């Protein structure tokens, strides 16, 4: 990998662009049936190359400074630091502030897949800058473009596309994190001119220091849970809402993570008040893929550093990469990064077909893959960064070597946009249907050949075996009523909820094995990588099946005891 262009200098990313993505389907979905596929793809490739050069040569060298300075807190004003502002100005000058916005509003109409490639390169250079770019510009622009009325589009999109203003998306509240349905911020209609008044608090809002915010709030009086929510846009000017503080934190230090207070805040409704949850779900699919891809960016940075270091550092008469344990770590990192990338862009393409082509089959497959991309991309990033640190020995904890920052930054990725545990629940979606219909349509129809293919098939068998064990346990609890489609409570589903992350890990590894094996059919030089991924999938699924088989019931017993303490 070369460090002067994060696109053309990264052979795996180039391979994904040139050989794995079916661009013709995307071009037709985005630009229409008559579009010139070759010319459009060539333009998108040039954009990636241009972005890759700027990000590698300008943004990456400023990352340590962005991290060291952190958030500026001056006289109660919360601001981004100067190197980060310089990064963002540079991206805006290249026309990359909100590149998915259509040209009518000043954007470049880039498809999701290309925007994600730019996001990956940015995350490799500096995750804090990528968060400000993604959440501050792209996310509000995407939501306003999708759900806004003409007036809202005209008011916000051109300025977001030029990078003149920055926004944020606020769902989380102090008492409502994973459980969004507990949110208590209210929106009340005032008069007949479309003005709503917001009241409440939001917590942990990335880029919350900006000029406007999209707020998820309860707008139907008396509603509970995920019903009766709406999305609202509020401007910050004239202290319409208060940025109370930015948290002091050890990860993505340059990105202000803010607490916001709304007290009589004037706002307008974005889309249909009452449809807020349905609307935000469309955003969550994209942003969860985006966070999986953040993980890939950070892991790429850590892998590149560790590879260089292991080639140069000599101990016991040879470069440390020639010591088998270190070599194995490097191969493990390479497989994880390439596997996560292959799976993530398979899902990104599906997302484009859903967004632009309204393709229902793609929607079903994207729903299956999205939580796995988030889970594998982010948990994989933490592991890869940990290995990079270990390969650096004592130097790993020294700031100048950067891997400490990669480690710290990677740790946020399995938390925000739905934790790994929440992704695991999403991956199993409806546990009842999982029990009745099996885990995966995509895995069921895959049949890669060769050694990778037989390990893949064995891994898939272990997933089915794990499920059979869990169904047997459910049958013992619920009896034959289970097979007749009886309602299942959380208590009935206890064994599945307990092992959800194990099943998710097994599913994610097996999908990675599938996608790499399918790629190796097209590109024979990738055969060894595919075989390693398939062997890992086999080992992981076997271990998880055994862990489920050996479950001694003590976790669910302890929960029952805690529950009785409460009653
Ligand atoms: C740096 C940063 C930036 C953020 N940016 C934004 C933003 O821009 N906008 C926004 O709206 N929010 C943002 N968030 C909030 C983020 O999405 C939440 O922190 C996250 O969803 C988890 O919520 P929580 O912190 O309240 O944890 P909790 O929901 O309290 O979870 C605590 C633990 O319990 C586990 N858990 C909870 N429920 C279950 C369950 N049913 N089964 C199994 N395990 C469970 C979780 O996995 C976790 O390990 C950000 C957070 C951070 C730290």
């Amino acid at each position: 990998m070369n460090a002067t262009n994060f696109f053309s200098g990264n052979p795996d990313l180039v391979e994904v662009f040139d050989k794995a993505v079916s661009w013709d389907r995307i071009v037709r979905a985005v630009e229409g049936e008559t579009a010139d596929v070759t010319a459009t793809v060539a333009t998108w490739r040039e954009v990636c190359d241009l972005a890759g050069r700027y990000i590698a040569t300008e943004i990456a060298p400023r990352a340590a400074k962005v991290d060291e300075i952190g958030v500026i807190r001056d006289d109660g004003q919360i601001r981004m630091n100067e190197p980060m502002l310089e990064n963002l100005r540079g991206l805006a000058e290249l026309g990359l502030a909100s590149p998915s916005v259509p040209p009518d509003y000043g954007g470049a109409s880039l498809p999701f897949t290309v925007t994600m490639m730019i996001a990956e390169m940015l995350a490799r250079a500096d995750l804090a800058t990528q968060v400000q770019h993604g959440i501050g510009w792209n996310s509000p622009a995407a939501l306003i473009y999708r759900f806004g009325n003409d007036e809202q589009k005209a008011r916000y999109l051109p300025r977001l596309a030029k990078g003149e203003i920055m926004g944020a998306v606020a769902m989380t509240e102090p008492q409502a994190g994973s459980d969004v349905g507990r949110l208590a911020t209210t929106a009340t209609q005032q008069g007949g001119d479309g003005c709503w008044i917001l009241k409440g608090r939001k917590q942990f809002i990335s880029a919350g220091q900006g000029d406007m915010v999209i707020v998820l709030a309860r707008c139907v009086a008396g509603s509970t849970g995920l019903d009766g929510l709406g999305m609202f846009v509020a401007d910050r000017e004239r202290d319409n809402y208060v940025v109370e503080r930015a948290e002091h934190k050890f990860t993505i230090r340059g990105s202000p993570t803010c607490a916001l207070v709304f007290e009589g805040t004037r706002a307008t409704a974005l889309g249909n008040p009452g449809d807020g949850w349905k609307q935000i779900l469309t955003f969550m699919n994209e942003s969860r893929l985006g966070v999986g891809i953040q993980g890939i960016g950070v892991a790429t940075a850590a892998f590149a550093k560790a590879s260089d270091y292991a080639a140069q550092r000599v101990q016991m008469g040879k470069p440390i990469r020639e010591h088998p344990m270190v070599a194995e770590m490097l191969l493990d990192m390479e497989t994880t990064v390439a596997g996560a990338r292959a799976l993530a862009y398979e899902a990104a393409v599906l997302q484009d077909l859903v967004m632009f082509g309204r393709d229902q089959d793609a929607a079903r497959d994207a729903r299956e893959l999205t939580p796995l991309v988030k889970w594998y991309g982010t948990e994989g990033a933490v592991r890869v960064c940990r290995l990079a640190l270990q390969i650096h020995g004592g130097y790993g904890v020294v700031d100048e070597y950067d891997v400490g920052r990669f480690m710290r930054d990677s740790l946020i990725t399995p938390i925000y946009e739905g934790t790994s545990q929440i992704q695991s629940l999403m991956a199993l979606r409806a546990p009842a249907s999982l029990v009745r219909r099996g885990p995966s349509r995509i895995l069921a129809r895959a049949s890669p050949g060769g050694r990778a293919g037989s390990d893949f098939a064995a891994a898939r068998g272990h997933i089915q075996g794990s499920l059979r064990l869990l169904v047997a346990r459910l049958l013992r609890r619920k009896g034959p009523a289970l097979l007749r489609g009886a309602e299942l409570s959380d208590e009935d589903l206890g064994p599945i909820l307990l092992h959800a992350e194990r099943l998710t890990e097994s599913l994610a590894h097996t999908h990675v094995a599938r996608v790499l094996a399918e790629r190796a059919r097209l590109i024979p030089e990738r055969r060894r990588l595919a075989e390693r991924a398939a062997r890992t999938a086999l080992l992981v699924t076997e271990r998880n099946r055994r862990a489920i088989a050996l479950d001694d019931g003590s976790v669910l017993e302890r929960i029952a005891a805690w529950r009785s303490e409460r009653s």
Side-chain angles (χ1 to χ4, degrees):
M1 265 191 289
N2 100 35
T4 57
N5 188 321
F6 282 177
F7 180 70
S8 59
N10 181 347
D12 192 56
L13 183 56
V14 168
E15 185 179 289
V16 169
F17 191 104
D18 288 343
K19 301 199 173 141
V21 172
S22 43
W23 289 112
D24 48 341
R25 291 181 74 194
I26 298 184
V27 172
R28 278 200 285 274
V30 176
E31 305 273 330
E33 285 299 323
T34 55
D36 179 339
V37 174
T38 313
T40 310
V41 177
T43 307
W44 290 344
R45 201 177 190 287
E46 266 172 44
V47 171
C48 286
D49 195 51
L50 184 79
R53 192 167 342 115
Y54 179 76
I55 290 168
T57 54
E58 296 286 331
I59 296 185
R62 285 194 279 264
K65 225 37 197 170
V66 168
D67 182 68
E68 186 191 323
I69 302 172
V71 173
I72 308 286
R73 299 167 178 88
D74 250 358
D75 273 348
Q77 291 297 311
I78 290 155
R79 291 188 288 110
M80 294 178 282
N81 63 45
E82 192 46 42
M84 177 177 277
L85 287 168
E86 219 171 317
N87 290 343
L88 294 169
R89 275 195 294 269
L91 289 166
E93 276 163 23
L94 289 176
L96 296 175
S98 305
S100 57
V101 167
D104 312 357
Y105 295 105
S109 218
L110 291 184
F112 181 71
T113 305
V114 175
T115 341
M116 286 300 102
M117 289 183 175
I118 297 169
E120 180 193 322
M121 295 188 279
L122 265 176
R124 174 176 169 190
D126 179 24
L127 186 57
T129 298
Q130 194 278 330
V131 169
Q132 293 301 104
H133 176 264
I135 302 284
W137 284 337
N138 275 320
S139 299
L143 285 171
I144 290 169
Y145 181 65
R146 200 164 304 161
F147 301 112
N149 56 34
D150 289 347
E151 205 180 320
Q152 288 165 327
K153 287 180 187 169
R155 179 173 172 74
Y156 297 108
L157 290 181
R159 289 187 294 160
L160 284 167
K162 287 203 200 98
E164 290 170 358
I165 56 168
M166 187 166 265
V169 179
M171 291 186 283
T172 306
E173 298 184 5
Q175 77 297 345
S178 304
D179 190 358
V180 180
R182 293 193 72 200
L183 70 76
T185 296
T186 55
T188 315
Q189 195 157 21
Q190 198 183 57
D193 63 352
C195 179
W196 291 73
I197 300 296
L198 305 180
K199 188 172 179 342
R201 303 179 75 86
K202 292 287 175 181
Q203 171 75 5
F204 293 143
I205 306 309
S206 297
Q209 87 299 333
D211 309 279
M212 45 89 65
V213 60
I214 295 173
V215 179
L216 190 66
R218 192 164 295 290
C219 59
V220 176
S223 64
T224 54
L226 300 171
D227 292 332
L229 305 179
M231 288 201 309
F232 299 87
V233 195
D235 291 332
R236 192 171 155 208
E237 63 188 10
R238 283 181 277 141
D239 294 330
N240 192 27
Y241 60 89
V242 175
V243 182
E244 192 181 58
R245 64 174 189 280
E247 306 297 347
H248 293 266
K249 59 194 197 308
F250 70 76
T251 182
I252 49 169
R253 291 190 69 257
S255 166
T257 309
C258 301
L260 308 181
V261 181
F262 302 89
E263 192 66 62
T265 301
R266 294 172 309 283
T268 56
L270 188 61
N272 249 348
D275 282 351
W277 182 244
K278 210 165 73 190
Q279 293 175 184
I280 209 96
L281 271 184
T282 67
F283 163 75
M284 277 202 223
N285 286 341
E286 289 150 52
S287 54
R288 285 175 175 173
L289 287 177
V291 177
I293 280 169
Q294 286 183 351
I296 296 164
V298 181
T300 303
F303 173 51
K305 280 269 173 191
S307 302
D308 288 351
Y309 187 81
Q312 281 152 24
R313 174 74 173 168
V314 174
Q315 290 290 282
M316 294 164 205
K318 50 189 162 187
I320 57 171
R321 71 179 180 184
E322 290 173 28
H323 294 298
M325 283 184 276
V326 176
E328 190 179 38
M329 287 186 218
L330 289 167
L331 259 62
D332 178 358
M333 294 160 91
E334 181 192 33
T335 314
T336 304
V337 174
R341 183 174 287 121
L343 191 63
Y345 289 105
E346 181 184 48
V349 170
L350 292 170
Q351 188 61 31
D352 265 322
L353 300 179
V354 176
M355 281 158 58
F356 297 100
R358 308 199 183 289
D359 179 327
Q360 288 311 311
D361 282 346
R364 199 168 34 190
D365 289 350
R367 268 199 305 276
E368 178 179 335
L369 294 186
T370 299
L372 301 178
V373 169
K374 165 80 166 67
W375 188 92
Y376 188 88
T378 63
E379 294 290 341
V382 172
R383 211 164 48 83
V384 166
C385 290
R386 163 82 177 80
L387 292 175
L389 216 136
Q390 191 67 15
I391 284 174
H392 278 75
Y395 297 97
V397 302
V398 174
D399 287 346
E400 284 78 357
Y401 285 78
D402 290 331
V403 283
R405 171 165 52 85
F406 301 148
M407 180 83 255
R408 289 188 282 109
D409 284 351
S410 73
L411 285 168
I412 187 58
T413 61
I415 292 175
Y416 58 17
E417 280 307 332
T419 64
S420 290
Q421 291 68 48
I422 297 303
Q423 297 316 303
S424 301
L425 299 179
M426 301 301 295
L428 306 184
R429 196 150 284 268
S433 113
L434 178 82
V435 169
R436 292 181 193 115
R437 292 195 204 102
S440 162
R441 205 171 71 103
I442 307 174
L443 288 183
R445 66 182 181 224
S447 60
R451 189 193 298 170
S454 60
D455 282 350
F456 162 82
R460 185 174 55 190
H462 283 307
I463 296 176
Q464 280 154 350
S466 303
L467 271 175
R468 272 197 298 275
L469 285 167
L470 290 167
V471 171
R473 245 165 254 173
L474 256 61
L475 269 169
R476 276 202 295 279
R477 289 169 160 240
K478 198 73 186 165
L482 176 76
L483 303 173
R484 291 196 299 269
E487 280 285 302
L488 296 172
S489 67
D490 265 13
E491 213 177 327
D492 296 328
L493 290 168
I496 291 197
L497 297 179
L498 169 60
H499 295 294
E501 196 163 357
R502 289 199 175 90
L503 287 171
T504 300
E505 185 188 29
S506 293
L507 284 168
H509 276 274
T510 308
H511 272 288
V512 164
R514 169 188 61 77
V515 74
L516 288 180
E518 282 165 358
R519 178 110 61 89
R521 271 214 284 240
L522 298 175
I523 310 165
E525 309 86 80
R526 302 299 257 174
R527 184 175 57 82
R528 294 294 283 157
L529 179 87
E531 286 173 357
R532 281 204 307 274
R535 181 56 47 96
T536 305
L538 173 57
L539 293 170
V540 166
T541 51
E542 195 174 354
R543 162 172 51 74
N544 283 333
R545 180 184 183 164
R546 236 179 117 56
I548 293 170
L550 295 177
D551 174 3
D552 66 357
S554 55
V555 173
L556 297 182
E557 271 166 36
R558 182 60 64 92
I559 290 174
W562 284 331
R563 199 178 292 132
S564 66
E565 268 173 34
R566 261 200 303 135
S567 55

